[in-house]
Amino acid sequence: LHASDIDIVEPETVGFSTDRLAKVTEFVEREIADGNLVGTVTLIARHGEVVHFEAAGRYGLEDDRPMKTDALFRIFSMTKPITTVAAMILYEEGAFHLGDPVGKYLPELANMQLSIDGEPVATESPMTIEQLMTHTAGLTNGWHPEDPVERAYRDAALRRSQDLNAFIEKLSTLPLRFEPGTRYHYSVATDVLGALVERLSGQTLEQFFQTRIFDPLGMHDTFFNVPDDKIPRMAGSHLWDAEKQEMDPMPAGLLPPPSGVTLFSGGGGLISTAYDYWRFCEMLRRGGSLDGVRILGPKTVQAMTMARLTTEVRDNGATEYPA
């Protein structure tokens, strides 16, 4: 969807300043000129009214086409809230309780143990579904290879699994990094939550998202697998090279292809547009419904958006491993 296809209201009608909003445009253009960004789409809305929707820069360092507002981007971890909404749809239908052990529905994970000095040690309590949602389940992601458990996750190459069943099978052979419930630690937990959605619904995560979230919300440009006719709208992905102090294209092999994907990563696999993701956010802002379509009840959205970590759990080791 292009900016020309939607109603953009006068900023002053919802309490914004046209002059101040222009500073967003100035900032983005300056960052692109300085080489800190390659291309962007920015969308700002208030009270459900869009006041700013602009594209700047180009599709990629290796793609000189001017950026358009309907560009498709990999949204990485912005996939996680969508996966959690999917799980909460099933929660509202009575499929599980938040305090249920994960192993009740994913029995492969029922006996995951800690690794203490290289020896397997049983946990005091099993990881729960709510702990998956708050990254307190004791799982990790392999980003700190100086730790032997982290190395095991890295070497298991979970992201190269054929599908979520294979992902869970591999994960079941790995130790937990922490006792469940004792520490916030960013992890593969939301991928496990996606596998839970598959088991409970009998659909792939791709099918569930499409039928229960994307189609009802009119999110026509959000995919694990981009249709062939929309692939030209894909923006490039880039990394900041700290040594060279400049942007580089993402190296080949680090990312899955835009189509042909069978591992539906609830933690980071989706591709979307700024407008589609705004519709998802607007549904949550309105308490679970948008344009007459209800995805979740308002009490569920309220519960989802409350702080759920105790200070003790949130700060336990936070300085040792930044999130």
Side-chain angles (χ1 to χ4, degrees):
L1 198 73
H2 293 287
S4 58
D5 298 324
I6 69 165
D7 291 327
I8 299 177
V9 305
E10 286 293 322
E12 281 71 18
T13 62
V14 288
F16 271 111
S17 159
T18 298
D19 291 342
R20 298 298 291 271
L21 273 177
K23 294 188 181 298
V24 174
T25 305
E26 292 169 16
F27 169 78
V28 167
E29 289 177 348
R30 185 170 67 246
E31 288 294 294
I32 290 169
D34 290 347
N36 298 324
L37 294 171
V38 180
T40 67
V41 176
T42 49
L43 187 153
I44 299 171
R46 192 178 198 190
H47 306 317
E49 303 284 358
V50 177
V51 297
H52 166 102
F53 189 20
E54 291 181 353
R58 50 199 169 125
Y59 274 78
L61 287 172
E62 298 171 331
D63 186 345
D64 278 338
R65 292 176 299 154
M67 182 65 76
K68 292 183 177 178
T69 50
D70 69 345
L72 291 159
F73 293 89
R74 292 187 181 277
I75 63 170
F76 296 99
S77 281
M78 288 160 63
T79 305
K80 289 180 171 69
I82 296 177
T83 305
T84 306
V85 163
M88 295 309 288
I89 290 171
L90 293 169
Y91 168 80
E92 284 193 338
E93 293 174 354
F96 63 88
H97 295 290
L98 290 174
D100 283 345
V102 175
K104 180 176 178 180
Y105 308 102
L106 297 171
E108 303 96 314
L109 305 184
N111 299 309
M112 288 187 78
Q113 296 182 303
L114 296 161
S115 177
I116 309 295
D117 297 326
E119 295 296 319
V121 176
T123 61
E124 292 178 19
S125 58
M127 70 169 104
T128 68
I129 295 172
E130 182 172 0
Q131 288 166 355
L132 292 179
M133 295 176 175
T134 57
H135 289 284
T136 57
L139 298 162
T140 189
N141 46 34
W143 290 354
H144 306 282
E146 65 276 10
D147 179 271
V149 174
E150 301 278 344
R151 279 200 302 278
Y153 275 70
R154 182 197 61 188
D155 295 345
L158 294 169
R159 300 265 171 238
R160 296 205 189 100
S161 306
Q162 176 68 18
D163 55 25
L164 280 172
N165 285 332
F167 182 101
I168 294 298
E169 195 59 48
K170 276 187 192 176
L171 182 63
S172 71
T173 68
L174 300 174
L176 292 172
R177 181 76 172 82
F178 305 105
E179 173 67 35
T182 64
R183 177 165 169 167
Y184 167 84
H185 187 74
Y186 200 59
S187 69
V188 298
T190 316
D191 290 290
V192 177
L193 193 63
L196 182 79
V197 170
E198 289 200 342
R199 294 285 175 93
L200 291 172
S201 70
Q203 294 180 291
T204 66
L205 198 61
E206 182 177 51
Q207 291 166 338
F208 192 92
F209 280 1
Q210 195 66 49
T211 58
R212 304 300 299 275
I213 300 173
F214 301 157
D215 286 346
L217 289 177
M219 294 170 65
H220 303 306
D221 282 326
T222 306
F223 314 98
F224 283 113
N225 286 291
V226 180
D228 289 347
D229 63 331
K230 295 188 177 186
I231 283 180
R233 288 164 49 195
M234 278 281 295
S237 295
H238 304 85
L239 285 173
W240 180 255
D241 187 316
E243 284 185 22
K244 294 194 291 183
Q245 287 290 293
E246 65 183 29
M247 282 288 187
D248 273 342
M250 190 83 79
L254 273 192
L255 296 172
S259 61
V261 173
T262 56
L263 176 67
F264 304 126
S265 167
L270 284 174
I271 293 163
S272 188
T273 62
Y275 183 78
D276 263 23
Y277 205 79
W278 169 67
R279 286 190 66 81
F280 174 76
C281 294
E282 183 64 10
M283 173 274 292
L284 289 175
R285 188 191 73 83
R286 294 186 186 209
S289 70
L290 181 66
D291 295 343
V293 174
R294 181 158 293 286
I295 304 297
L296 290 173
K299 292 286 187 188
T300 302
V301 175
Q302 186 180 29
M304 286 174 68
T305 50
M306 287 168 56
R308 304 193 78 82
L309 297 183
T310 64
T311 304
E312 182 185 22
V313 169
R314 188 185 66 236
D315 296 342
N316 180 11
T319 53
E320 182 186 344
Y321 285 116

